[in-house]
């Protein structure tokens, strides 16, 4: 998605990565997907990424 105000050809919006581990993971995956950063070794394993996502969702649901 293009962000007119920032004059950015690529833009996404979600919570600051300082606040949530899930957002840190998303920032790293997006950065690698668009070629501005390297994918950390740990995130190259799809089963590990799925397990991290499952754990994040589990803890989120239990915190409510």
């Amino acid at each position: 998605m293009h962000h007119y105000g920032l004059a950015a050809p690529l833009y996404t919006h979600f919570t600051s990565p300082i606040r949530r581990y899930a957002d840190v993971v998303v920032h790293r995956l997006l950065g690698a997907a668009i070629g501005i950063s390297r994918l950390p070794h740990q995130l190259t394993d799809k089963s590990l990424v799925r397990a991290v996502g499952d754990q994040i969702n589990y803890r989120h649901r239990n915190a409510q």
Side-chain angles (χ1 to χ4, degrees):
M1 174 179 356
H2 179 81
H3 190 283
Y4 179 77
L6 295 176
L10 295 171
Y11 175 79
T12 187
H13 177 81
F14 46 89
T15 309
S16 167
I18 295 169
R19 299 163 76 196
R20 293 188 44 213
Y21 181 67
D23 295 325
V24 171
V25 173
V26 170
H27 272 262
R28 290 176 179 167
L29 290 170
L30 282 174
I34 63 173
I36 62 171
S37 63
R38 292 181 149 221
L39 190 61
H41 167 65
Q42 299 87 339
L43 296 180
T44 60
D45 181 348
K46 287 183 182 181
S47 63
L48 179 60
V49 172
R50 181 178 299 274
V52 167
D54 289 344
Q55 180 66 7
I56 289 168
N57 287 330
Y58 171 79
R59 291 188 174 268
H60 175 74
R61 282 189 296 274
N62 285 335
Q64 294 180 351

